[in-house]
Amino acid sequence: MLENDVVLVVDDSATARTAITNVLRDRLYCQTIIEAANGQEALKRLQANPDIDWIFCDWEMPVMAGDELLSKVRENPATSHLPFIMITAKGDRDSLVTAVQLGVTSFVVKPFTPKKLIEKVLLARGRMERRNAERIKATRGQQLKLKWSQAEPPVEADLLDVSLSGLLLLAPFEPTKSLSVFDLAQLAVTLPNSGATGELPCQIIRLEADPLHPARDDQIRIAVRFQPMSAEQRKLLMDYIEATRRLAPQSEPEPA
């Protein structure tokens, strides 16, 4: 389940870290687990290991408590998307409300059973997959550039919709007719609100006639899937999606 993920476990108790680690390794098959004894150490681990995918954290710790760590993780664009599961003896309603307001992904009360922790992870993963599949429709005229070959100039295309996993665009057929499914490419995007620019790595996964105008042979719809990104590229993508959402407040998300 987590065999390809990197997990950060944060707790000032070595016994508690071992209990969490055992569930992650034995029941969720996680192979790469990084430990920290408090929030301050956790921030250093996050900075040194940008590939971390999950955070499991205690609340009450010396130096920096779990709620402060959660706040800093959510404030940092490079880590704000990470699922954060708080594992704590705090089971009162006020603590739960505080954690939710800070952006916690899930909340596990100590003492916990392996089954309970696994349930929380599966629920969190399900929510992440649904979020990744949420597609935001673009307003007419929102453009980007597609580049897939050194021998070919970038092609301007209209964005149709975008999600965390990929996007759909409408491009002129003639300059893109050499494209093939599975080709790797780069998307040059410009944030509508700030003018900031950057490139996002992607792979072509579908080429098709425009279903709204099937008789037209001068345009083609191109679906792309995003490839692994740096933290800076990931932030650019998230900002681009949010800017697209703000430009089209009337649009309703669609399932992928």
Side-chain angles (χ1 to χ4, degrees):
M1 296 177 189
L2 301 183
E3 57 267 27
N4 297 318
D5 292 350
V6 180
V7 173
L8 174 62
V9 176
V10 190
D11 200 305
D12 60 315
S13 166
T15 301
R17 293 199 304 271
T18 298
I20 298 168
T21 297
N22 287 343
V23 176
L24 294 174
R25 284 192 175 137
D26 298 342
R27 305 289 291 274
L28 294 171
Y29 313 116
C30 183
Q31 302 299 311
T32 307
I33 301 174
I34 300 168
E35 297 185 16
N38 56 63
Q40 193 173 89
E41 281 189 18
L43 289 176
K44 293 178 181 178
R45 303 288 188 272
L46 285 165
Q47 185 174 13
N49 299 274
D51 294 331
I52 287 173
D53 300 294
W54 294 76
I55 301 173
F56 293 78
C57 183
D58 185 28
W59 189 309
E60 296 179 302
M61 298 180 293
V63 185
M64 182 186 291
D67 57 340
E68 186 177 354
L69 173 62
L70 173 57
S71 179
K72 290 184 178 297
V73 165
R74 292 293 180 248
E75 290 172 359
N76 184 349
T79 60
S80 61
H81 65 285
L82 293 178
F84 193 113
I85 296 182
M86 193 80 81
I87 305 175
T88 174
K90 282 178 171 284
D92 60 283
R93 178 177 175 80
D94 288 345
S95 296
L96 175 60
V97 170
T98 297
V100 169
Q101 290 174 341
L102 289 173
V104 76
T105 303
S106 195
F107 199 92
V108 180
V109 178
K110 295 179 180 178
F112 63 89
T113 64
K115 180 181 178 181
K116 177 58 68 175
L117 183 58
I118 293 168
E119 286 176 353
K120 295 291 187 177
V121 171
L122 293 179
L123 286 172
R125 169 149 282 180
R127 287 196 295 268
M128 290 163 58
E129 289 173 349
R130 289 192 296 273
R131 184 190 66 185
N132 288 350
E134 179 186 346
R135 289 190 170 274
I136 307 302
K137 288 184 178 180
T139 54
R140 187 182 299 274
Q142 188 172 335
Q143 292 190 319
L144 43 70
K145 292 183 179 180
L146 178 67
K147 176 72 173 178
W148 69 94
S149 168
Q150 294 297 326
E152 302 286 348
V155 173
E156 287 195 354
D158 291 321
L159 176 68
L160 298 178
D161 62 47
V162 61
S163 74
L164 284 172
S165 58
L167 58 75
L168 184 66
L169 53 85
L170 185 67
F173 173 69
E174 188 63 28
T176 57
K177 63 183 180 181
S178 65
L179 264 178
S180 299
V181 175
F182 305 131
D183 280 353
L184 297 177
Q186 294 286 327
L187 290 166
V189 301
T190 301
L191 295 184
N193 54 343
S194 68
T197 61
E199 291 190 342
L200 303 174
C202 64
Q203 183 180 47
I204 308 301
I205 59 171
R206 192 170 71 250
L207 302 164
E208 61 187 13
D210 183 0
L212 299 179
H213 306 283
R216 293 187 61 172
D217 59 7
D218 61 336
Q219 291 184 313
I220 187 171
R221 292 212 321 183
I222 303 172
V224 309
R225 174 174 54 219
F226 292 124
Q227 296 297 287
M229 300 180 184
S230 66
E232 183 178 354
Q233 288 172 321
R234 185 78 175 178
K235 179 182 182 303
L236 174 66
L237 173 58
M238 295 175 68
D239 289 345
Y240 187 68
I241 291 174
E242 187 56 36
T244 301
R245 190 196 305 273
R246 287 198 297 269
L247 283 174
Q250 75 283 359
S251 296
E252 292 293 332
E254 293 182 346

